[in-house]
Amino acid sequence: MDPKLLTIEALSVHFHLPEGVARAVDGIGFDLQPGETLGLVGESGCGKSVTALSILGLVQSPPGRIEAGRILFESRNLLRLDAEGLRRIRGRDISMIFQEPMTSLNPVLPIGRQVAEPLMVHKALSRSEAMAEAAAWLDHVKIPAARKRLDDYPHQLSGGMRQRVMIAMAMVCRPKLLIADEPTTALDVTIQAQILSLMLMLKSELNMSVLLITHDLGVVAQMASRVVVMYAGQVVEEGRMTDMFDQPFHPYTRGLLKSMPRLGDRRAGRPPRLNEIPGTVPSLIEAVSGCRFAGRCPHVFDVCRKQQPDLFKIGAGQRARCWLKRYPDRRKPDA
Amino acid sequence: MPEVPLLKVNNLIKEFPLGGGLFAEPRARVRAVDDVSFALSRGETFGLVGESGCGKTTLGRLILRLVEPTSGDVEFDGQHILALGAKEMRLLRRRMQIIFQDPYASLDPRMKVNAIVTEPLCAIQNLAKSERKKVAAELIEKVGLRAADLDKYPHEFSGGQRQRISIARALCVRPDLIVADEPVSALDVSIQAQVINLMADLKKEFQLSYVFISHDLSVVEHISDRIAVMYLGTIVELAPAVSFSDSPRHPYTAALLRAVPMPDPHRKTEPFPMEGDAPSPIDPPPGCAFHPRCPHAFERCRVEKPSLVKTARQHFVACWLNNSRGLGIE
Ligand SMILES: Nc1ncnc2c1ncn2[C@@H]1O[C@H](COP(=O)(O)OP(=O)(O)OP(=O)(O)O)[C@@H](O)[C@H]1O
Ligand SMILES: Nc1ncnc2c1ncn2[C@@H]1O[C@H](COP(=O)(O)OP(=O)(O)OP(=O)(O)O)[C@@H](O)[C@H]1O
Ligand code: SF4
Ligand SMILES: [Mg+2]
Ligand SMILES: [Mg+2]
């Protein structure tokens, strides 16, 4: 057996809202090896961020509640740790980068202090040692004239520079796992390219594992070696990056790949119409008896509406939650 | 006789004052749009791409005269719109509409869909209630929603559905031109495809022209006939969409294209040569505004600003590399 850094098993997170119980995460599971980058993709609202927040014990509660499951980090169940135990792991062994740096950087604290903070908390460095190390990290993430900018406040930096500060902050303690939740979505492509190559460089330097959450299939294809596709709170497909692009199984994965415009489409004379996935995601509050994708699926048949499909094994490392595995002749050839 | 273009933008400049008070002199000026000219034919989609802050939204608003330019001129169907009075301008507005990026912020949460989609029409003519309902029902079905949705409020819809409502609202007055400012940027890929296809269908059905603003190059390439790349307020390259990704002539366009992560694990994007952030429009670099980030910059680029010149059929570039090669200056 391979050593796993992180294993999530049958995790369910529900939000208890006035209008009902929203099953934001409904029995998901996946694992992450040391040094691996795993992509987590799926439609907005499918539960990607809630999954990430669960790992760090940051799900807002109430209304959120972890109903079931285990999150094993180096064989320890994080869901069993108390607040103090989690705090020790957060920022040291596991750290997180959020989509919008302004919400996670402290606006009234100079950036040098913010990067130095985790070192003082987790590594017991003195203030001056920590500041020296912070300066080195800001330099490393290519903040121009880093040493002169230690006293700058976040609002004095551009969006791309703030994201670099976030990365420096997440990296100072050399975590084993980095959770990056849409780390570049708010950035321009040119800055995104810089941030992504910075993440790749640091990842190989520190031999870190990365859980990369994004809805950008381009980013995932460039960064991850494996991918998990979520739909309405569940894992619907997982597999090696190359398999997912070359032979996706689940109709949602296929639809997603086909609905994306690609650079060069025009030149290649590909048809001007994009493939659409009709309809919208189902409500997480209403109970669904069958497959959650049934309402939008071009292949849907009687079984799909009655019974929820399992995550069937498709091939080496590839699994998909779809009845077509059992009833292959039901797949419509042209959809 | 070439036909009169639907829209002609001539040497548009827009400066915003920064700092200063009501009576004080502003401390500085931002040149958000810096000498932009182009023409748009009937039925054409003109894509506008570029990094955040390069002036796309400002240009879109100038075209509709939602802001007044510092100088320059906009002609719509042969009329100089800046010379029009308030009343004439209001009439012209029915021929040009705008769709905004954020489907959450751009619809009035207290209005029902029925009132939202017919508002632009009611602003210019009196409509009986029943007539209004009929128009609304027709529009809402055109954009793929149901008549039953007319009595709902915006919060009852998903992002993609709200963007359909914005489109229905823009179509209400049967415009000739729609400026769509990042209409799909807030949407999921699968929903984005629905909205892009819808816009393409409506364009055919109603002979619409679009100015389509986006920072997503793949989306713009997909929907546009021609694409303009903006950098710090100026158009640096203007090319037909079919050859856009193939033969970029401006180093900035090349860098942008190279930076797009390929949705293909077998083709890893090459390492990225362009360093640094986009410079501030408050204090733009002299010469070519791109020179501090440009891998090819030479002396002339640092002192003299290149203008947009023709380098091939329908292809215009503002870069000394193209000029100095002596490609036909028009
Ligand atoms: N604090 C909360 N209170 C109530 N519901 C919540 C809360 N946080 C998340 N949810 C709900 O849980 C579901 C999953 O949300 P989550 O943020 O994980 O989605 P996501 O996949 O990260 O989407 P996105 O791509 O838009 O970031 C959504 O339906 C959301 O509305
Ligand atoms: N009302 C205003 N007052 C002062 N400056 C402004 C104003 N509107 C825009 N600007 C400035 O003009 C420049 C161009 O802004 P604009 O919103 O047109 O860019 P954009 O290309 O649409 O960017 P984005 O992709 O972020 O939407 C920016 O530097 C912006 O800060
Ligand atoms: S189980 Fe049925 S409805 Fe669900 S994705 Fe597969 S074919 Fe489609
Ligand atoms: Mg999220
Ligand atoms: Mg804008």
Side-chain angles (χ1 to χ4, degrees):
Chain A
M1 269 273 295
D2 303 321
K4 303 274 195 285
L5 182 68
L6 178 80
T7 306
I8 298 185
E9 289 172 0
L11 178 70
S12 289
V13 186
H14 295 176
F15 288 93
H16 297 261
L17 306 171
E19 58 271 30
V21 177
R23 285 174 291 261
V25 170
D26 200 12
I28 66 157
F30 56 81
D31 48 46
L32 205 70
Q33 323 250 357
E36 178 184 45
T37 298
L38 177 71
L40 190 56
V41 301
E43 209 104 343
S44 178
C46 71
K48 304 182 296 293
S49 294
V50 170
T51 301
L53 293 172
S54 308
I55 299 171
L56 292 169
L58 293 175
V59 174
Q60 188 193 2
S61 171
R65 203 163 74 196
I66 297 190
E67 309 285 343
R70 298 203 299 168
I71 300 179
L72 301 175
F73 180 73
E74 298 187 312
S75 321
R76 272 199 301 170
N77 188 355
L78 297 182
L79 298 179
R80 287 282 172 75
L81 289 184
D82 58 9
E84 182 47 39
L86 271 174
R87 235 190 323 271
R88 266 204 298 271
I89 286 186
R90 251 192 328 250
R92 190 189 63 185
D93 296 322
I94 307 178
S95 56
M96 182 151 173
I97 304 174
F98 298 88
Q99 169 170 354
E100 184 33 75
M102 265 332 235
T103 58
S104 33
L105 288 175
N106 184 340
V108 298
L109 210 59
I111 57 166
R113 273 290 306 279
Q114 298 195 51
V115 178
E117 189 92 1
L119 289 166
M120 285 148 61
V121 174
H122 294 297
K123 302 268 151 121
L125 293 195
S126 73
R127 175 88 169 256
S128 60
E129 288 168 330
M131 285 302 274
E133 181 112 8
W137 269 100
L138 288 172
D139 207 34
H140 205 49
V141 299
K142 301 220 176 77
I143 298 278
R147 262 152 244 276
K148 290 206 200 101
R149 305 199 77 136
L150 290 174
D151 295 326
D152 279 7
Y153 290 89
H155 70 87
Q156 293 171 286
L157 307 178
S158 71
M161 290 213 283
R162 278 182 221 136
Q163 203 59 303
R164 284 158 200 270
V165 173
M166 283 283 299
I167 292 180
M169 229 166 97
M171 301 289 186
V172 276
C173 290
R174 302 175 174 263
K176 294 172 183 147
L177 172 62
L178 174 71
I179 302 172
D181 190 357
E182 307 273 7
T184 57
T185 307
L187 305 174
D188 282 316
V189 274
T190 58
I191 311 299
Q192 165 171 286
Q194 295 170 8
I195 298 286
L196 293 180
S197 71
L198 173 67
M199 282 178 60
L200 279 176
M201 184 190 88
L202 293 173
K203 181 188 116 69
S204 65
E205 252 177 54
L206 304 182
N207 190 34
M208 183 174 65
S209 303
V210 181
L211 178 60
L212 177 67
I213 299 174
T214 175
H215 61 256
D216 187 325
L217 297 171
V219 170
V220 124
Q222 291 299 318
M223 302 286 292
S225 49
R226 244 169 13 105
V227 64
V228 168
V229 183
M230 285 182 72
Y231 190 79
Q234 296 184 318
V235 173
V236 294
E237 184 153 11
E238 77 167 292
R240 282 193 299 251
M241 199 72 241
T242 43
D243 291 341
M244 299 295 269
F245 272 78
D246 299 343
Q247 44 193 1
F249 189 90
H250 199 282
Y252 174 66
T253 316
R254 291 189 173 198
L256 204 57
L257 286 166
K258 278 196 289 182
S259 62
M260 190 181 33
R262 294 167 196 244
L263 262 182
D265 272 0
R266 294 294 291 279
R267 176 173 26 116
R270 272 192 280 274
R273 257 194 110 64
L274 291 167
N275 179 72
E276 316 178 3
I277 304 179
T280 50
V281 269
S283 148
L284 298 171
I285 292 179
E286 283 147 43
V288 207
S289 47
C291 168
R292 298 211 173 158
F293 190 57
R296 302 175 77 186
C297 181
H299 309 283
V300 58
F301 50 98
D302 46 356
V303 184
C304 314
R305 294 224 165 78
K306 281 196 216 91
Q307 206 184 336
Q308 166 141 230
D310 290 333
L311 254 183
F312 297 110
K313 185 169 194 291
I314 304 296
Q318 191 176 4
R319 297 191 296 165
R321 191 181 289 284
C322 172
W323 284 119
L324 290 172
K325 173 66 188 165
R326 284 283 170 79
Y327 306 91
D329 51 333
R330 295 298 188 116
R331 195 184 279 276
K332 299 206 174 87
D334 49 352
Chain B
M1 258 300 283
E3 67 161 327
V4 183
L6 180 65
L7 175 75
K8 229 173 146 233
V9 168
N10 305 316
N11 306 99
L12 265 191
I13 293 180
K14 176 63 187 177
E15 288 184 342
F16 291 107
L18 275 188
L22 198 47
F23 301 105
E25 265 298 292
R27 271 184 280 120
R29 286 172 193 285
V30 188
R31 201 169 254 221
V33 171
D34 187 8
D35 198 9
V36 167
S37 305
F38 67 90
L40 175 68
S41 317
R42 238 166 255 281
E44 188 184 24
T45 298
F46 188 80
L48 209 51
V49 291
E51 284 170 294
S52 181
C54 72
K56 305 181 294 296
T57 295
T58 306
L59 180 54
R61 297 173 62 91
L62 285 168
I63 290 169
L64 298 190
R65 206 181 163 193
L66 297 173
V67 287
E68 297 287 325
T70 306
S71 66
D73 184 27
V74 179
E75 281 173 64
F76 184 81
D77 206 6
Q79 293 187 72
H80 293 271
I81 72 165
L82 296 165
L84 298 180
K87 188 158 162 258
E88 297 158 301
M89 197 59 224
R90 209 167 54 237
L91 283 176
L92 196 66
R93 282 269 153 71
R94 87 178 279 170
R95 302 184 54 195
M96 42 209 311
Q97 290 287 308
I98 190 162
I99 300 171
F100 297 100
Q101 163 169 9
D102 188 344
Y104 294 88
S106 59
L107 302 177
D108 187 336
R110 291 155 309 181
M111 281 166 74
K112 287 189 177 169
V113 172
N114 177 33
I116 290 174
V117 297
T118 50
E119 194 192 25
L121 193 54
C122 295
I124 47 179
Q125 71 186 64
N126 277 325
L127 274 188
K129 215 170 165 193
S130 61
E131 183 66 10
R132 192 168 174 172
K133 197 108 196 180
K134 207 178 119 224
V135 171
E138 220 169 273
L139 285 167
I140 212 73
E141 278 166 17
K142 272 270 169 284
V143 298
L145 298 175
R146 287 166 304 134
D149 292 326
L150 289 172
D151 289 321
K152 296 186 185 162
Y153 290 94
H155 76 260
E156 298 175 67
F157 296 90
S158 69
Q161 291 172 326
R162 284 183 219 207
Q163 215 49 310
R164 289 170 188 267
I165 296 170
S166 306
I167 294 171
R169 176 190 155 92
L171 281 177
C172 167
V173 286
R174 297 285 144 100
D176 299 305
L177 172 68
I178 293 182
V179 172
D181 189 0
E182 309 262 10
V184 296
S185 305
L187 307 176
D188 279 315
V189 199
S190 77
I191 306 300
Q192 169 180 293
Q194 295 176 5
V195 173
I196 290 176
N197 283 345
L198 173 67
M199 287 186 70
D201 293 346
L202 294 171
K203 172 182 157 175
K204 249 190 246 146
E205 182 172 350
F206 296 106
Q207 315 261 303
L208 292 167
S209 303
Y210 292 127
V211 172
F212 192 100
I213 300 173
S214 175
H215 61 266
D216 185 326
L217 273 71
S218 330
V219 167
V220 163
E221 187 209 48
H222 187 85
I223 199 159
S224 307
D225 298 304
R226 280 186 304 149
I227 298 173
V229 180
M230 280 183 84
Y231 191 76
L232 230 59
T234 17
I235 292 180
V236 296
E237 181 156 6
L238 177 58
V242 277
S243 58
F244 176 70
S245 66
D246 198 18
S247 51
R249 298 253 179 165
H250 196 286
Y252 176 62
T253 312
L256 271 184
L257 287 165
R258 201 103 135 246
V260 177
M262 297 293 281
D264 180 349
H266 302 291
R267 286 171 62 193
K268 295 291 178 191
T269 313
E270 300 140 53
F272 187 66
M274 196 168 80
E275 289 286 332
D277 294 350
S280 151
I282 300 169
D283 186 16
C288 169
F290 186 60
H291 88 252
R293 296 168 89 188
C294 181
H296 311 289
F298 55 104
E299 306 80 56
R300 192 173 188 185
C301 312
R302 298 187 187 94
V303 288
E304 204 180 336
K305 183 171 176 156
S307 50
L308 202 59
V309 299
K310 189 169 185 173
T311 62
R313 207 174 107 75
Q314 287 206 3
H315 202 145
F316 299 81
V317 186
C319 167
W320 289 124
L321 287 177
N322 291 279
N323 267 10
S324 55
R325 280 194 207 121
L327 292 162
I329 294 176
E330 215 183 39

